[in-house]
Amino acid sequence: MSRSTSPVPFVNDLFDPVPDTGPYREALAPGAVILRNFARDRVEEMAEAIRGVLRRAPLKAMHTPGGLPMTVKTSSCGNAGWVSDEHGYRYARVRAHGASEWPPIPEPLMQLALAAARAADYPDFVPDFCLINYYRPGAKLGLHQDKDERDPNAPIVSLSLGLPAEFLFGGNERSDKTRTVWLYSGDVVVWGGPSRMAFHGVKPVADGIDPVFGHCRVNLTFRKAL
DNA sequence: GAGTATCG
DNA sequence: GGTA
């Protein structure tokens, strides 16, 4: 009960803890589902894979097309890198002159994305790109759509790691009503079909300590971008 | 346009 | 919600 509404357990939970649940599905919207605890047993493995990517493609603070800095830092792996600057949002197949290629999607991450897509009834999904979003406490992401990918039939697979966060999920228009759900380390959200272009965002992340990630939240979105 | 302020 |  406390887990589904707040990251802070009731005092009673400390004395009479609710047993951890295993993986289960939660409907979010038509075509969209939350796979609770989907990667819970593989969080350390995910962390190690992410560390490997970030060594080769360090996190960077992007700016919006309007020129203002984003609070979230990003990196990329797969066949492109996500770029936001004064020219807009885009996927860059090649890195800046002098830089090596984007690191490939690590195999454990790829396998997790494929399994999650299958569990969410998108069995044909094969991502070619993964965006790494890194949130320090206070970082947030305003309501937006993922609409720069070539194939609108491919879903988005989103893995949450580290500190919990409130995720906003709306409809195809910015003014549509949004649902707010807490996402915890190891949860996966998949949206596609009628929800593929749904507006979504993340509220400012509250400080805390995650046993594996410490004072940060890391979100991975797997996409068919090219 | 994944940001923010301000106005109506 | 539109505009800057």
Side-chain angles (χ1 to χ4, degrees):
Chain A
M1 161 43 158
S2 64
R3 187 169 160 76
S4 64
T5 56
S6 159
V8 182
F10 289 125
V11 170
N12 257 4
D13 291 350
L14 301 174
F15 300 96
D16 186 16
V18 178
D20 280 347
T21 64
Y24 63 98
R25 265 174 74 135
E26 202 173 291
L28 181 60
V33 66
I34 306 175
L35 306 172
R36 294 288 184 188
N37 301 318
F38 190 83
R40 192 186 52 176
D41 300 331
R42 280 174 281 178
V43 168
E44 291 90 347
E45 191 184 357
M46 302 294 107
E48 192 51 43
I50 292 166
R51 275 191 284 270
V53 170
L54 295 184
R55 276 195 294 268
R56 293 174 56 183
L59 292 164
K60 191 177 164 185
M62 298 283 182
H63 292 247
T64 64
L68 287 148
M70 293 175 63
T71 54
V72 172
K73 290 185 170 65
T74 68
S75 182
S76 300
C77 55
N79 297 335
W82 184 80
V83 180
S84 175
D85 59 19
E86 65 273 17
H87 300 113
Y89 311 125
R90 66 189 176 280
Y91 291 103
R93 287 173 177 277
V94 293
R95 293 177 75 177
H97 185 65
S100 52
E101 274 195 349
W102 295 102
I105 300 175
E107 197 54 29
L109 298 182
M110 175 62 84
Q111 289 309 318
L112 184 98
L114 295 177
R118 200 174 317 131
D121 302 319
Y122 294 99
D124 299 328
F125 177 62
V126 180
D128 57 13
F129 169 81
C130 174
L131 178 65
I132 301 170
N133 276 155
Y134 174 87
Y135 300 72
R136 298 292 295 195
K140 64 189 165 96
L141 208 48
L143 261 185
H144 68 280
Q145 296 169 296
D146 295 352
K147 53 189 289 188
D148 297 310
E149 298 72 33
R150 186 179 301 276
D151 181 2
N153 296 315
I156 302 288
V157 173
S158 167
L159 168 64
S160 291
L161 296 164
L163 293 177
E166 286 185 279
F167 180 60
L168 278 55
F169 196 84
N172 295 336
E173 296 188 20
R174 184 177 287 277
S175 57
D176 287 345
K177 199 180 69 169
T178 57
R179 276 189 62 183
T180 304
V181 292
W182 281 98
L183 296 179
Y184 303 89
S185 194
D187 288 347
V188 175
V189 183
V190 182
W191 63 96
S195 286
R196 175 59 181 79
M197 295 300 167
F199 277 85
H200 57 284
V202 178
K203 291 206 210 177
V205 170
D207 198 3
I209 302 179
D210 177 83
V212 175
F213 285 81
H215 295 269
C216 75
R217 171 175 195 260
V218 177
N219 180 74
L220 269 37
T221 49
F222 300 90
R223 312 164 180 203
K224 197 168 183 321
L226 304 174

